[in-house]
Amino acid sequence: MARVFAGGEALDVPLQDAADGVSVRDHALFKQLCYGSLRHYHQYSGFLRQCLTSPLKQRDADVQALMLIGLLQLFEMRTPDHAAISSSVEACRALGKPWATRLVNGVLRRCLRESDTLRAQLREHEGMDHPAWLVKALRSDWPDHCAELIATNNAPPPMSLRVNKARTDRDAYLDQLASLGIGAQPGALAKQSICLDRPLDVNELPGFFQGEVSVQDEAAQLAAHLLAPVQGQRVLDACAAPGGKACHILETHRDIAELVAMDSDPQRLSRVAQNLERLSLEATLLCADACVPEPSLGEFDRILVDAPCSGTGVIRRHPDIKVLRRSEDIAGFAKQQQAILSGLWPRLKPGGRLLYVTCSVLRQENTDVIERFLSETADASTVAIESSWGVQAGLGRQLLSGTHGADGLFYAAVEKTR
């Protein structure tokens, strides 16, 4: 956790590095401690701010992480108080920092003893477990939904599945789950979606390794429907990794001529290949920069741009976003999104459709980007997304995090005039 808090790393890599040394029996607890300490980072950092006479040095970020995990166990989990404190103290010695035993013991005991007072003296954003800049942005963009968005961001996410209709159908797969005692409901937004009553390891899902089902949030499953390719068309998934949307397009539109799955990161592109192989699907894989795609790519009838973004619509799945992201990052993402749209537009055939998607709920990355692109592109026009889900957001449609249990995604469809 110190690598995230102080080193600025996204959680995925440190998590995987550490998971190799954790027994299978303890994996669920291990992940709960990691994700939980990130979800409540701002609140319990506010506790430490009040209890420490001076901030810890950078080299002692592991001690800070240890205390945050101790506070998580004291206030959010069913760990007995004495066990949470004693295990945290013992961990100081395991870290090679016996000098910190008294500090950790004293801070955790004071937080337990004075929790009501400490909580009352938290800064507003600390009490909301969000960075101050993000609270301000959510209030500005979604004043009527801000409290709901913050509550959703602070909660663990549900687990949704996408049934491969080329192998089975949703009702049949629900029957399979029921026969195994796995609680699940049909999704409210997408035709192939299923929402599990509780998250499971994919090893417990019947037919997963045979390609009957994939893990994908309901909001993301709307992309294949909105892109709407038809027989014989060429399709480009421009920011394809890890491949969920590309695979869904191939599952539901098996008569298209070709799907090119492109990504700028070769390691991430390998994950696309793995997903295609599991589902027995074929696509052309290409490692390239979407901002400057090669003319040799040719033209496409449909282009999906699942653009790099702040991830503010999927914070509950990636709580490290609340710790790592900064307000100035948003303008950088918006600039990159504009560059991707401008770079890909020449690759779209006249009469073709481009679907712009982000997993952000911030206007600066969504409606502002599309409006600017249209103002600068003479042969571009928007296509209205007629749907009952989400809310109208400028020239696109926004699903707010938690709506029908889904993630927060923005969609806008743009066509090139003939």
Side-chain angles (χ1 to χ4, degrees):
M1 300 313 298
R3 289 169 61 180
V4 179
F5 297 150
E9 291 188 59
L11 177 62
D12 292 352
V13 175
L15 188 74
Q16 186 56 53
D17 290 347
D20 294 338
V22 178
S23 68
V24 174
R25 181 191 63 187
D26 290 333
H27 259 234
L29 173 61
F30 167 67
K31 293 184 72 173
Q32 186 180 8
L33 293 172
C34 293
Y35 280 88
S37 59
L38 286 164
R39 285 196 181 95
H40 299 286
Y41 170 84
H42 291 88
Q43 180 181 173
Y44 295 134
S45 289
F47 276 36
L48 298 184
R49 175 180 56 79
Q50 297 176 67
C51 292
L52 297 173
T53 54
S54 60
L56 290 169
K57 294 181 173 62
Q58 181 84 1
R59 64 175 179 267
D60 296 320
D62 51 358
V63 177
Q64 176 199 13
L66 176 60
M67 288 191 285
L68 290 172
I69 292 170
L71 291 170
L72 176 77
Q73 293 178 85
L74 286 174
F75 297 115
E76 309 295 336
M77 300 170 65
R78 288 182 282 182
T79 310
D81 295 347
H82 67 87
I85 294 172
S86 64
S87 62
S88 298
V89 170
E90 285 303 309
C92 295
R93 297 187 176 92
L95 290 170
K97 297 185 176 180
W99 60 266
T101 55
R102 291 183 62 187
L103 173 68
V104 170
N105 183 65
V107 167
L108 294 185
R109 290 188 182 278
R110 180 183 170 188
C111 289
L112 188 61
R113 188 173 60 249
E114 302 176 19
S115 60
D116 290 343
T117 301
L118 294 172
R119 198 166 269 113
Q121 294 177 354
L122 289 172
R123 294 165 180 161
E124 183 188 35
H125 74 276
E126 292 172 341
M128 302 168 86
D129 260 325
H130 275 59
W133 74 266
L134 184 53
V135 173
K136 181 179 179 181
L138 293 176
R139 279 181 173 159
S140 174
D141 289 358
W142 303 104
D144 296 334
H145 302 277
C146 180
E148 181 183 352
L149 288 171
I150 285 174
T152 298
N153 289 346
N154 290 338
M159 183 172 178
S160 298
L161 308 177
R162 183 189 78 241
V163 175
N164 182 357
K165 75 172 191 176
R167 300 285 180 88
T168 183
D169 61 58
R170 182 163 67 176
D171 290 341
Y173 195 79
L174 283 167
D175 289 341
Q176 279 195 73
L177 293 176
S179 69
L180 296 172
I182 299 174
Q185 311 297 326
L189 299 173
K191 293 180 179 179
Q192 283 90 40
S193 65
I194 289 176
C195 298
L196 298 180
D197 291 350
R198 63 178 182 86
L200 296 174
D201 189 283
V202 293
N203 292 293
E204 300 179 61
L205 294 174
F208 177 82
F209 295 102
Q210 291 72 42
E212 291 185 15
V213 70
S214 299
V215 178
Q216 188 180 39
D217 185 77
E218 268 204 272
Q221 294 182 43
L222 297 171
H225 167 70
L226 294 174
L227 193 65
V230 299
Q231 182 178 3
Q233 289 188 332
R234 292 188 79 217
V235 178
L236 172 65
D237 185 349
C239 308
K245 295 181 180 69
C247 290
H248 191 199
I249 292 168
L250 290 169
E251 288 173 1
T252 53
H253 301 88
R254 300 182 72 84
D255 55 359
I256 60 174
E258 181 188 23
L259 184 139
V260 176
M262 183 170 75
D263 203 272
S264 60
D265 186 330
Q267 287 189 323
R268 284 172 54 81
L269 196 62
S270 68
R271 293 184 62 191
V272 181
Q274 291 167 10
N275 280 316
L276 288 167
E277 183 178 4
R278 180 179 64 85
L279 295 164
S280 300
L281 297 170
E282 293 184 3
T284 302
L285 299 184
L286 177 66
C287 188
D289 184 353
C291 297
V292 284
E294 290 291 330
S296 59
L297 268 177
E299 292 185 325
F300 294 88
D301 303 280
R302 296 287 187 270
I303 296 179
L304 172 62
V305 179
D306 191 0
C309 68
S310 64
T312 47
V314 292
I315 284 176
R316 58 186 182 168
R317 299 190 188 280
H318 303 282
D320 51 346
I321 289 170
K322 292 195 292 184
V323 178
L324 300 176
R325 199 71 72 229
R326 301 289 182 266
S327 59
E328 56 267 25
D329 296 339
I330 310 306
F333 281 120
K335 183 178 180 180
Q336 184 182 15
Q337 290 150 5
Q338 291 284 354
I340 289 172
L341 289 173
S342 298
L344 291 173
W345 192 249
R347 305 272 63 81
L348 184 67
K349 291 181 180 179
R353 175 179 299 183
L354 181 149
L355 184 66
Y356 177 75
V357 189
T358 74
C359 52
S360 171
V361 295
L362 300 182
R363 179 184 176 93
Q364 192 174 354
E365 299 178 274
N366 296 340
T367 57
D368 289 357
V369 167
I370 290 298
E371 287 173 2
R372 179 179 173 183
F373 176 72
L374 287 168
S375 70
E376 297 175 351
T377 311
D379 57 349
S381 60
T382 54
V383 179
I385 296 176
E386 303 292 344
S387 179
S388 58
W389 53 261
V391 295
Q392 192 67 33
L395 300 173
R397 200 150 188 90
Q398 178 77 60
L399 258 173
L400 294 172
S401 315
T403 304
H404 297 294
D407 289 339
L409 268 66
F410 173 82
Y411 284 99
V414 185
E415 285 191 353
K416 179 178 281 191
T417 55
R418 293 184 181 276

